[in-house]
């Protein structure tokens, strides 16, 4: 599939929308949007796989922990390949419902097209 510049921009916009939904702390969305082989790197946690991330979200949900606010700034999307892999970067300002102040984190996600659907293959957060 050859993309026009407008289609390429629209797809990147859709990927950023998907990225925002991942901050809803919904284990099912995580499970469905991350590839089974995905690798995630979080501060204080280290390197984990999709199933470990999904289990952690379920535990957070059971403990009543959720994001009270999340804001994206400096959002950028770039193609790694013409139409099958993209990189999304942004700064997230986020606060858990049990915290009084938000923290800032640089985030990067690599999306790959698998069977016509976009999946996260890699995600990293770096506190600033």
């Amino acid at each position: 599939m050859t993309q026009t510049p407008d289609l390429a921009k629209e797809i990147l916009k859709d990927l950023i929308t998907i990225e925002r939904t991942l901050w809803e702390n919904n284990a099912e969305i995580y499970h469905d949007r991350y590839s089974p082989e995905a690798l995630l790197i979080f501060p204080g946690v280290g390197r984990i796989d999709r199933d470990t991330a999904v289990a952690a979200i379920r535990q957070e949900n059971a403990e009543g922990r959720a994001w009270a606010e999340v804001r994206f700034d400096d959002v950028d999307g770039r193609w790694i390949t013409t139409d099958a892999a993209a990189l999304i970067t942004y700064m997230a300002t986020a606060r858990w419902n049990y915290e009084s102040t938000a923290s800032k984190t640089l985030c990067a996600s690599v999306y790959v097209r698998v069977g016509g659907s976009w999946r996260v293959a890699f995600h990293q957060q770096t506190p600033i």
Side-chain angles (χ1 to χ4, degrees):
M1 169 176 136
T2 303
Q3 294 180 5
T4 65
D6 287 342
L7 178 59
K9 277 184 166 180
E10 192 63 32
I11 293 170
L12 289 173
K13 184 178 169 185
D14 291 345
L15 294 178
I16 292 165
T17 299
I18 292 168
E19 189 75 14
R20 290 181 194 281
T21 67
L22 294 170
W23 283 81
E24 294 173 6
N25 235 36
N26 181 314
E28 300 312 313
I29 290 174
Y30 247 71
H31 183 270
D32 293 345
R33 282 297 178 180
Y34 276 80
S35 72
E37 302 82 17
L39 177 66
L40 299 86
I41 299 175
F42 291 105
V45 174
R47 185 179 59 209
I48 60 174
D49 61 18
R50 179 191 71 178
D51 292 340
T52 303
V54 169
I57 290 171
R58 287 191 175 117
Q59 183 65 36
E60 289 166 354
N61 292 339
E63 294 170 357
R65 297 189 304 159
W67 292 108
E69 61 181 90
V70 178
R71 186 180 79 233
F72 284 12
D73 293 300
D74 302 325
V75 179
D76 190 24
R78 299 180 185 222
W79 289 100
I80 297 171
T81 64
T82 305
D83 61 2
L87 170 67
I88 305 299
T89 62
Y90 56 96
M91 181 178 63
T93 303
R95 182 180 62 81
W96 287 100
N97 58 352
Y98 57 87
E99 294 178 325
S100 59
T101 59
S103 59
K104 293 181 185 275
T105 306
L106 294 175
C107 301
S109 292
V110 173
Y111 283 80
V112 294
R113 190 188 313 258
V114 179
S117 182
W118 289 99
R119 301 278 186 256
V120 179
F122 175 79
H123 178 75
Q124 180 170 355
Q125 295 182 6
T126 304
I128 55 174

